[in-house]
Amino acid sequence: MSTKHLKTIVFISLGVFVFLIFGVFGTRRIQTAASTQPKTETQTEMPLPFSPRVLGKPLSTPQETLRDFQSSAFYLTIVDNNLFRPLGWRPPRPREPYRLLGTILPTDANTPKQVILQKIPVGRIYTVTIGDTLDADTTVTDIQPKQVTLENAGVLRTLKLNTTPWIK
């Protein structure tokens, strides 16, 4: 490499070094100088590159700051794309807490439709009709042949009877 190229590389690296020193320490010096001056009514606060703001709002308390940060898109991107998860990791699919075992559709108009449901983790079996509640939030809204519609906190879910043969 010639001395001309070497001088150019040294000059560029010196310029980058000076830029970083004045860029980083210069903003901090402006920040400390601004905080020592008494404020007047005509003086406005100038936002600095490293100003303590989250989502455009000034920091008020650490509790609100943490809550705002955890709801920001930046934080959620980090949580969703965690570097320390194993390769090929996928989030677990939400499991339905109930399984449809059968429906009872009467032939006469006096007997109501019934459905037989099993709660998955516990194994408890329910026989319910339209309008009955299974737990605090879940109610039965509709019963059709081989399917039932449940409402949980305003969300409708349809469970269908699994008619595939069991093969082991």
Side-chain angles (χ1 to χ4, degrees):
M1 192 166 13
S2 68
T3 58
K4 184 178 180 181
H5 292 300
L6 187 60
K7 286 180 182 179
T8 307
I9 292 173
V10 169
F11 182 74
I12 289 173
S13 47
L14 182 63
V16 168
F17 177 75
V18 169
F19 175 77
L20 288 176
I21 292 298
F22 284 112
V24 172
F25 294 116
T27 56
R28 290 190 181 150
R29 186 173 298 133
I30 291 170
Q31 184 179 4
T32 57
S35 64
T36 57
Q37 292 178 352
K39 282 195 170 193
T40 61
E41 289 185 23
T42 59
Q43 185 180 9
T44 59
E45 186 177 330
M46 184 176 92
L48 298 172
F50 301 106
S51 67
R53 293 178 177 265
V54 174
L55 299 174
K57 297 187 287 187
L59 298 181
S60 53
T61 63
Q63 190 93 10
E64 290 178 12
T65 304
L66 181 62
R67 195 174 317 120
D68 288 342
F69 178 69
Q70 287 177 345
S71 65
S72 69
F74 175 76
Y75 179 81
L76 295 176
T77 301
I78 293 172
V79 170
D80 292 341
N81 303 313
N82 190 349
L83 290 174
F84 302 105
R85 288 189 181 136
L87 290 176
W89 182 88
R90 295 188 187 271
R93 293 186 313 181
R95 298 190 70 193
E96 184 65 43
Y98 296 101
R99 178 172 44 186
L100 179 62
L101 297 179
T103 56
I104 303 170
L105 302 173
T107 56
D108 60 345
N110 296 334
T111 310
K113 298 178 183 178
Q114 293 182 339
V115 66
I116 303 168
L117 296 171
Q118 179 183 21
K119 190 161 184 159
I120 297 294
V122 180
R124 184 169 181 194
I125 296 177
Y126 298 95
T127 304
V128 291
T129 61
I130 296 175
D132 289 347
T133 59
L134 298 170
D135 53 25
D137 296 335
T138 307
T139 58
V140 179
T141 58
D142 187 31
I143 300 173
Q144 296 297 323
K146 298 184 183 179
Q147 73 179 16
V148 64
T149 305
L150 303 175
E151 180 184 2
N152 186 357
V155 178
L156 294 175
R157 298 183 325 244
T158 301
L159 301 177
K160 295 185 178 186
L161 188 62
N162 187 5
T163 57
T164 58
W166 296 355
I167 299 175
K168 288 190 179 185

